[in-house]
Amino acid sequence: MNKPITKPTAATEAPETIKMNMIQAINSAMDVMLGRDPDVLVFGEDVGYFGGVFNATEGLQKKFGLNRCFDTPISEAGLIGTAVGMAAYGLRPCVEIQFADYIYPGYDQIVSEAARLRYRSAGDFWCPMTIRSPYGGGIFGGQTHSQSPEALFTHVAGIKTVIPSTPYDAKGLLIAAIEDDDPVVIFEPKRLYNGPFDGNPDNPVTPWQKIEGNDVPVGHYVVPLGKARIARAGNEVTVLAYGTMVHVAIASAETAGVDAEVVDLRTLSPVDIESITASVKKTGRCVIVHEATRTSGFGAELSALVQEACFYHLEAPIERVTGWDTPYPHAFEWEYFPGQKRIGAALKRVMEA
Amino acid sequence: MNKPITKPTAATEAPETIKMNMIQAINSAMDVMLGRDPDVLVFGEDVGYFGGVFNATEGLQKKFGLNRCFDTPISEAGLIGTAVGMAAYGLRPCVEIQFADYIYPGYDQIVSEAARLRYRSAGDFWCPMTIRSPYGGGIFGGQTHSQSPEALFTHVAGIKTVIPSTPYDAKGLLIAAIEDDDPVVIFEPKRLYNGPFDGNPDNPVTPWQKIEGNDVPVGHYVVPLGKARIARAGNEVTVLAYGTMVHVAIASAETAGVDAEVVDLRTLSPVDIESITASVKKTGRCVIVHEATRTSGFGAELSALVQEACFYHLEAPIERVTGWDTPYPHAFEWEYFPGQKRIGAALKRVMEA
Amino acid sequence: MASLKNSRALSLRIPEPRFRPGETADFSNLNISEAGVMPRPEVDTQPKDMRDLAYGLVRVLDKDGQAVGPWNPGLDIATLKRGLRNMMLTRVYDERLFRAQRQGKTSFYMKCTGEEAVSIAPAMVLNHDDMCFPTYRQQGILIARGYPIVEMMNQVFSNALDPMKGRQLPVMYSSKAHGFFTISGNLGTQFTQAVGWAMASALKGDDRIASAYIGDGSTAEGDFHHALTFAGVYRAPVILNIVNNQWAISSFQGIAGGEDAPFASRAIGYNLPALRVDGNDFLAVYAATQWAMERARSNLGATVIEHFTYRAEGHSTSDDPGRYRPAQEAKLWPLGDPIERLKNHLIHLGEWSDDDQQALHAELVELVRAAGKESESHGTLHAGDRPSVKTMFEDVYKEMDWRLIRQRQELGI
Amino acid sequence: MASLKNSRALSLRIPEPRFRPGETADFSNLNISEAGVMPRPEVDTQPKDMRDLAYGLVRVLDKDGQAVGPWNPGLDIATLKRGLRNMMLTRVYDERLFRAQRQGKTSFYMKCTGEEAVSIAPAMVLNHDDMCFPTYRQQGILIARGYPIVEMMNQVFSNALDPMKGRQLPVMYSSKAHGFFTISGNLGTQFTQAVGWAMASALKGDDRIASAYIGDGSTAEGDFHHALTFAGVYRAPVILNIVNNQWAISSFQGIAGGEDAPFASRAIGYNLPALRVDGNDFLAVYAATQWAMERARSNLGATVIEHFTYRAEGHSTSDDPGRYRPAQEAKLWPLGDPIERLKNHLIHLGEWSDDDQQALHAELVELVRAAGKESESHGTLHAGDRPSVKTMFEDVYKEMDWRLIRQRQELGI
Ligand SMILES: Cc1ncc(C[n+]2csc(CCOP(=O)(O)OP(=O)(O)O)c2C)c(N)n1
Ligand SMILES: Cc1ncc(C[n+]2csc(CCOP(=O)(O)OP(=O)(O)O)c2C)c(N)n1
Ligand SMILES: [Mg+2]
Ligand SMILES: [Mg+2]
């Protein structure tokens, strides 16, 4: 228990891949890990027989048995607290919080416990726990099914915060998280579960299955934590984004006609400072995009970091395009959601500055 | 109930003042409000007969009776949750969380409930609740008696976050908070309870009673929420600070020999953007200081705001001097605490940039 | 004690419901007390002297539609008919709004089918200024208190007249004027708030009490414990209703611990009295609420009531219960349907007929249809009018601060 | 029911302890069962068939120091003497460290005076690899398990050899090797974690069980409820100890609901068996733990044990109990002192004398003095050596990320 995970042998031939949507990729990550490591287990509200309200755990109980994948009482603090105990025992629990909006009852167990075990015990105990949770808007979920609370986690020393934007990353990052010996919170952009979303609700969504290049290995692989990805190469301005906003940012660059470099952060904490710095030093401009409310959002940290690292390279003020400082209002989905219009306008503003 | 508070009549003569330490000032605020408004009540763990572990509520139960000031079970979620219900009824509960480090179990009731009542009910219900809690380090309290979680509240739309740095402000802001019709979280810098602290643990602390100009009106007065205070006027660099760090920043400016303007924010959310902008536009330089861990701390928001508002006035990168991205370690109080040395160095760096 | 070491490998019990899709549900093992057999203690009985009530089931209506036993509230015919009408209106309302969601007129809907008595009987017992802290499944309270169903629909459609100004998910009503606290999307939180509200009322020497609701699944949240702790310690005038409809989305009540011990018995450890009630029996729910209300109003404190019922349909429009429980389970539920049972009682009393029932149903369908038309004329989620976008920035605080003013400008409105 | 309206103004009950400073405590109204009278059910008894044990008090040692009744664990003399020594060592240790705090050698200290049996007897019953999840008042577990007191002192002094590397508040020990989970400053959290640990052990077919502690005051936290819920639902092999020392800093147990119903009775609603035990009776605590352990090891699940004891001294070095309770209350506590009572039992058995007691005490004082000297030679909080400041940035994560590396550089180390 708590033993090192067997590292994959270097692939000699290209691994088998298939097209998966993001839910299937997440499901596959847990499937692979349940199969490889008897210490991995999956639980949460409705995740057992039913397979989760978004089907992320579908089939896992049937395949691996009740002991490896089961329902819990509706108690986020209880399920995270027991997961902390299991992780301290030596297991690698991977738990689901049904919506990120419902993580707060478990916040104390995350912040005061999971994040602290290793430090306060000087390495005597640690907590290899993964928390998965769907987050973000764009689905008419209203204020309690649309929140983006990532900044409440990036502020907490001792946990890592991860947000994927593609099926490939979702699977690879989730496997990395489960194998990580520290607690990791992964927020899954639920708007992207079925297909990428360009921010324009009038455009039909192409399912991931039809997206070219969306090839997800069926077996084990890892997308390392802490490494960003250039989602769109560009030269004029750097856009820092994650989750759904990666796709909206790319579309915004196209429609605004700005040659933006879109950096998909993938891991927010620890963030990939090198990729960020390299891109901003190249472009001299930076726009930060997220769905969360603006004040003290993760965009603030990004803005501060960029300013600290690239002050002498900046040719325009760094802009933040974010959700408003209000709860997420049901009827005003597209007025709240930072869409192409607002991002495009910001891109143009920084180009004109 | 939930009726408008009687506003003080314009004082014709100077109000009676006495020297109070910060605890006495806080006690006086509650005393005044319990006396003025029958809908105000005070409760929390150990706050009744005992008067609170820091004596903030001393004598209130004796003076106003069990119904106005009482002990609660050790349940931060329970006491905040019941306070939300009382506030919705029409009372103005002012509750104590014994240490800010213990606020997390009540986080859901604050974030999902207190902060949301007015918005989600379209003004049908609201929540005039005040949460007081001692926060911050400098007292060898170790990791669970030293935390500065303010950024976890500034990110939440619907609550206000306040941090005083003097007895006068502590009383006036607390009265303003109790009279405010929205939920307010006040973090009290416990290191300042007995006297200002310049960050140098070898210097003896002068009690507030002996501090010149520390005149606190005995009666009712208000320090308005949302308004900063220039704690030290200066021309070379703006220091944004709050709580204990205001005093450390002033001392740092003196010892570093930099003519810093120290802005004491007093209210973090909504922050006084005008005062900040005016000062930074004047000095062209900005150093931000707080005790909380750096990543996603409130300093990030301040840095982003300053950069957005004063980009073309900045002559040097904005610096953040903060607690490290670790829990607060018991034995390394002064290596963790942002003291004069680190602040002074930052002041000099921005002057040399 | 080293001898015990390695004596046996430990194992975990993961509770499973007795029946899954494809199987035939069988409730014959259910140990249900007969109608009329449970004693009715005086309202000032010490909790320790009435623990048995947490394990039995208070029932009034027997198989023949007769009201029997000490819990019979002895209601007059007008009240019975009002109860029937409220329950039927709630069901008709639910059916229309469910269809409206399927037609894309809103994003989401939740029915309370089979559980109408649990909200409506208490709403009829309590004064209208007693504050209810409902979950999303007590729309019946609003209906019983005469809140206009057009307004309810306006909320569900997030239209121009939505009293929640488009901010809330459908079914998340709020009406202080009807003693109906703003519903939260976060399970459980209202249970503690109700206790706080009741404490406030008592502190002010008021005479209003609070009535809180929580689902069987949600009893596992900390708020449940906080509510019972504070209610017990301060003897708060509140009724703590647990609606045990046996399902929490896909999880059966055993996942919350309800199979080993009835939820009502949780009250015992807090020295609170508990009543366990047939939630599909309008008269039993009515009588239990009366008992608890009298207790609260007499300064004797809180009562926990477990309403044993059955969630006859899916959790919400997003749910398909056929994926996790037998299709016919709802039909087999032995405690029947609250509307049917109250109807049979009225027929038994000679005050009602199947024709009356049909006529009333037709009337209510028409009433709801007309209301629906009116509401839809003010818009539905994706069509027609809606609240002004400007209002999106209001009510975050009492007054907008500079951030919200600027952001509203940024949005260009 | 409008008739009841305005019938009476409501009021709130705010519980108060019976005695305050200046008054004379009087425990004569306390209803304490005689030693030996409580029955000892078989370990496989259904919780519903043993509810009375939540309301009685399991006691073995009577007034004369005799062990009586079915709960007498029948320990051999060596075990009894080990128990006495462990308790005395804990008390002597506490006294020295308390003084050390007063001398400024550390920032804070917490004694467990009067409650030694509650940690030491269970630690002697359980296997050393059963994991305990203690609060700050169970230092006795480490002592009973042979953790070196020098190491404990190193932690308290945050000195160069502090196994927690100066990071934790004094008394917040951790030793996986001794089945002692890292103590949290946040009350209650460990209760749920213990259940999780036990679930993990059961899931793996292991044979180790968990033992969790919580204070009377802290039972009000949500974690208490979550722990009982999960323990009940999954039948986790865990012992859930409630240490009711009647005080939570300045709040008496009534503020947590303990006066109306014993904390043990909370177990009833979760279908968990409960034992209520004289926590100052080493033999009773020993026997209750044996019972619960056997139950857990036999896959019968969790047991809740309320240890009824009394916090004989202040909450911590920061506290002055004279400000909120009568000065002599501790002396009047009728269930005495666990050390005295076990000593008297040994004397009663003819195996011990007052002289032996004095000699042992002197030996332990010397042992602790020597350990203190050794520990202090490695530094105390404000003097002498301490851990390397570099380590401040370690163990936040398994590996330091760029932020911590940069910040360490920023600090110039
Ligand atoms: C804190 C929180 N956790 C999870 C959810 C998601 N959720 C919504 S309803 C529900 C099931 C509730 O079941 P129950 O309490 O039995 O009420 P019922 O739906 O049966 O009326 C869940 C898990 C939520 N809304 N809030
Ligand atoms: C979550 C949390 N809230 C409050 C505190 C402050 N606090 C520390 S000890 C204590 C009293 C605990 O009393 P009890 O549970 O009875 O344990 P005892 O001290 O009597 O052993 C309080 C309120 C804390 N440490 N954690
Ligand atoms: Mg349910
Ligand atoms: Mg205690």
Side-chain angles (χ1 to χ4, degrees), chain A residues 268-292:
Chain A
L268 276 57
S269 176
V271 81
D272 183 351
I273 189 72
E274 280 174 30
S275 298
I276 293 172
T277 310
S279 179
V280 177
K281 284 195 175 162
K282 179 176 76 176
T283 62
R285 292 177 164 85
C286 182
V287 170
I288 297 160
V289 194
H290 61 61
E291 293 178 59

Side-chain angles (χ1 to χ4, degrees), chain A residues 296-343:
Chain A
S296 281
F298 190 61
E301 176 63 27
L302 291 171
S303 175
L305 286 175
V306 166
Q307 189 274 151
E308 281 155 13
C310 311
F311 183 79
Y312 297 104
H313 293 79
L314 284 175
E315 288 166 41
I318 306 162
E319 290 228 17
R320 290 185 283 173
V321 185
T322 68
W324 310 120
D325 282 328
T326 75
Y328 207 117
H330 181 246
F332 305 122
E333 187 73 53
W334 306 122
E335 285 83 6
Y336 186 93
F337 191 90
Q340 289 184 27
K341 195 168 144 213
R342 283 167 58 202
I343 299 172

Side-chain angles (χ1 to χ4, degrees), chain A:
Chain A
M1 283 141 255
N2 269 345
K3 64 186 182 317
I5 292 276
T6 329
K7 289 285 167 232
T9 47
T12 42
E13 24 185 6
E16 190 198 338
T17 66
I18 57 171
K19 292 207 188 302
M20 300 182 188
N21 67 28
M22 195 181 278
I23 282 288
Q24 292 163 332
I26 289 162
N27 184 278
S28 172
M30 290 184 274
D31 187 357
V32 165
M33 289 310 296
L34 285 162
R36 278 168 73 95
D37 184 346
D39 290 338
V40 171
L41 76 169
V42 167
F43 55 95
E45 297 159 17
D46 299 295
V47 310
Y49 186 90
F50 187 55
V53 296
F54 288 105
N55 302 336
T57 56
E58 192 166 336
L60 298 180
Q61 181 177 86
K62 193 160 188 193
K63 182 163 171 188
F64 296 100
L66 274 175
N67 267 4
R68 306 291 304 285
C69 176
F70 54 85
D71 285 348
T72 63
I74 303 176
S75 168
E76 292 74 17
L79 76 91
I80 293 171
T82 49
V84 171
M86 291 181 189
Y89 175 92
L91 304 186
R92 293 183 180 275
C94 173
V95 304
E96 175 175 304
I97 297 296
Q98 205 162 81
F99 285 87
D101 318 62
Y102 305 140
I103 203 166
Y104 309 118
Y107 197 63
D108 187 44
Q109 283 283 356
I110 299 172
V111 171
S112 307
E113 300 297 321
R116 300 290 189 251
L117 284 196
R118 186 189 289 280
Y119 193 79
R120 77 173 194 229
S121 71
D124 197 24
F125 291 92
W126 60 98
C127 187
M129 164 181 78
T130 303
I131 299 177
R132 299 175 35 245
S133 192
Y135 93 106
I139 56 140
F140 281 95
Q143 48 188 286
T144 58
H145 299 91
S146 306
Q147 290 172 36
S148 298
E150 64 276 8
L152 305 174
F153 296 86
T154 55
H155 189 41
V156 179
I159 50 177
K160 300 180 181 177
T161 308
V162 171
I163 297 185
S165 75
T166 65
Y168 180 90
D169 282 359
K171 177 169 174 184
L173 288 166
L174 179 52
I175 291 178
I178 295 173
E179 294 185 347
D180 198 276
D181 283 333
D182 290 306
V184 181
V185 178
I186 303 204
F187 289 116
E188 301 166 359
K190 65 177 96 69
R191 172 70 222 204
L192 299 182
Y193 276 161
N194 296 317
F197 176 59
D198 68 4
N200 186 341
D202 299 328
N203 290 347
V205 168
T206 312
W208 283 114
Q209 267 78 2
K210 300 220 173 118
I211 298 288
E212 219 192 315
N214 173 32
D215 301 309
V216 182
V218 297
H220 175 280
Y221 68 96
V222 160
V223 172
L225 304 186
K227 295 269 170 261
R229 166 181 87 93
I230 304 301
R232 181 192 191 280
N235 285 301
E236 294 184 327
V237 44
T238 299
V239 180
L240 303 179
Y242 48 89
T244 307
M245 285 302 136
V246 171
H247 303 276
V248 182
I250 293 171
S252 304
E254 309 291 345
T255 51
V258 175
D259 185 24
E261 177 145 297
V262 178
V263 181
D264 176 358
L265 297 177
R266 301 204 287 200
T267 299
L268 276 57
S269 176
V271 81
D272 183 351
I273 189 72
E274 280 174 30
S275 298
I276 293 172
T277 310
S279 179
V280 177
K281 284 195 175 162
K282 179 176 76 176
T283 62
R285 292 177 164 85
C286 182
V287 170
I288 297 160
V289 194
H290 61 61
E291 293 178 59
T293 49
R294 180 169 307 169
T295 301
S296 281
F298 190 61
E301 176 63 27
L302 291 171
S303 175
L305 286 175
V306 166
Q307 189 274 151
E308 281 155 13
C310 311
F311 183 79
Y312 297 104
H313 293 79
L314 284 175
E315 288 166 41
I318 306 162
E319 290 228 17
R320 290 185 283 173
V321 185
T322 68
W324 310 120
D325 282 328
T326 75
Y328 207 117
H330 181 246
F332 305 122
E333 187 73 53
W334 306 122
E335 285 83 6
Y336 186 93
F337 191 90
Q340 289 184 27
K341 195 168 144 213
R342 283 167 58 202
I343 299 172
L347 291 175
K348 287 185 192 152
R349 268 197 308 275
V350 297
M351 289 312 300
E352 282 155 19

